[in-house]
């Protein structure tokens, strides 16, 4: 298996623009997680899905953030409009269950100017 | 609220040394604990997962222990190598919130 695949690897955009991050989880993994990593706050869970259904989005910082999982092999995290404080590395991760090992993608480095 | 602390924040050792990384957590009601490795510019790789009922797990030169009652875990790396240089993070899975809570990591440098 190719592992968790994220795209793009890097995204540079201007404040106010829409940003869409993409993730393909490992086949057979029923859980998908979106994390954000910054120097100041470390790794934060934004939202997670079980069988394509959002279960807990309490970590989504604002209404500007939204996430979807239209099918078992694809998820998006959208920021609209983007702000400089959204600059961070966004990770997607998947697992067969929340109590098992978590597999991370390589992340998307987002810079909002 | 669960807090996960890793000390030290950074560690530099000569190659060949055995070393211990520490992780502590405030709420002992955890389901399990994972140790991850993160290389610069990369995602996290799960190294070891210890269930709350277990005391330790081993993989190669790595050994992780868990003392749930005292809220502590250690990651022991034997005969360290320059390739072990990375940031090591621990994370606890909270049964109550169904979430993984991460520490801020220990940045390890193994000098040749």
């Amino acid at each position: 298996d190719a592992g968790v695949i994220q795209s793009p690897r890097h995204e540079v955009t201007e404040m106010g623009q829409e940003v869409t991050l993409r993730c393909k989880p490992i086949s057979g993994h029923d859980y998908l997680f979106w994390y954000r990593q910054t120097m100041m706050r470390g790794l934060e869970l934004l939202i997670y899905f079980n069988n394509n259904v959002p279960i807990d989005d309490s970590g989504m910082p604002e209404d500007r953030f939204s996430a979807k999982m239209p099918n078992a092999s694809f998820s998006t995290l959208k920021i609209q409009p983007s702000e400089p404080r959204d600059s961070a590395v966004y990770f997607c991760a998947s697992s067969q269950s929340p109590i098992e090992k978590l597999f991370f993608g390589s992340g998307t480095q987002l810079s909002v100017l | 609220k669960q807090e996960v602390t890793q000390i030290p924040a950074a560690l530099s050792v000569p190659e060949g040394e055995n070393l211990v990384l520490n992780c502590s957590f405030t709420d002992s009601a955890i389901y399990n604990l994972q140790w991850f490795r993160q290389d610069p510019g990369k995602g996290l790789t799960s190294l070891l997962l210890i269930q709350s009922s277990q005391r330790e797990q081993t993989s190669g030169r790595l050994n992780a222990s868990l003392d749930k009652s005292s809220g502590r875990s250690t990651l022991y790396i034997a005969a360290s190598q320059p390739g072990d240089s990375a940031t090591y993070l621990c994370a606890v899975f909270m049964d109550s919130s169904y979430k993984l809570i991460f520490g801020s990591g220990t940045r390890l440098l193994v000098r040749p």
Side-chain angles (χ1 to χ4, degrees):
Chain A
D1 200 317
V4 177
I5 300 172
Q6 290 187 248
S7 64
R9 287 284 281 126
H10 299 91
E11 177 80 34
V12 180
T13 190
E14 292 189 347
M15 183 173 64
Q17 296 297 306
E18 177 179 295
V19 175
T20 299
L21 311 181
R22 297 172 176 80
C23 174
K24 175 179 167 52
I26 293 173
S27 177
H29 282 188
D30 293 332
Y31 286 81
L32 183 140
F33 304 81
W34 283 101
Y35 284 89
R36 178 172 67 175
Q37 187 176 40
T38 61
M39 287 293 292
M40 289 295 294
R41 301 173 69 92
L43 266 166
E44 301 174 282
L45 176 64
L46 300 177
I47 185 172
Y48 79 91
F49 295 82
N50 177 24
N51 290 324
N52 314 336
V53 176
I55 302 300
D56 186 337
D57 65 354
S58 60
M60 297 285 261
E62 299 168 35
D63 291 345
R64 298 183 296 106
F65 286 69
S66 63
K68 293 182 179 179
M69 192 165 185
N71 56 62
S73 59
F74 184 66
S75 177
T76 60
L77 178 67
K78 187 175 293 186
I79 308 173
Q80 165 63 16
S82 58
E83 296 182 3
R85 60 194 166 121
D86 301 330
S87 298
V89 181
Y90 291 81
F91 287 105
C92 175
S94 71
S95 66
Q96 290 183 317
S97 88
I99 61 173
E100 297 189 26
K101 279 192 174 184
L102 195 57
F103 294 82
F104 279 77
S106 298
T108 295
Q109 172 77 59
L110 174 64
S111 297
V112 183
L113 307 176
Chain B
K1 179 189 172 188
Q2 176 72 276
E3 292 185 6
V4 181
T5 304
Q6 292 188 246
I7 295 174
L11 183 63
S12 178
V13 301
E15 181 177 4
E17 194 162 294
N18 301 324
L19 58 100
V20 174
L21 306 181
N22 297 296
C23 171
S24 61
F25 45 95
T26 54
D27 185 347
S28 62
I30 65 169
Y31 196 90
N32 61 38
L33 182 146
Q34 282 189 67
W35 281 94
F36 292 87
R37 168 185 173 139
Q38 184 174 26
D39 293 284
K42 301 285 180 63
L44 283 72
T45 300
S46 181
L47 299 172
L48 291 164
L49 183 151
I50 312 176
Q51 302 295 346
S52 61
S53 58
Q54 297 176 317
R55 299 287 293 183
E56 63 180 80
Q57 279 285 335
T58 298
S59 176
R61 295 182 293 109
L62 305 179
N63 176 275
S65 68
L66 174 63
D67 185 341
K68 187 180 162 185
S69 60
S70 67
R72 280 186 273 189
S73 176
T74 61
L75 179 66
Y76 174 83
I77 303 177
S80 59
Q81 303 170 358
D84 295 330
S85 298
T87 296
Y88 291 81
L89 299 97
C90 68
V92 296
F93 184 79
M94 301 302 299
D95 208 10
S96 55
S97 63
Y98 229 51
K99 290 180 181 178
L100 202 57
I101 309 297
F102 282 85
S104 54
T106 294
R107 192 170 64 253
L108 173 66
L109 174 65
V110 181
R111 308 186 305 271

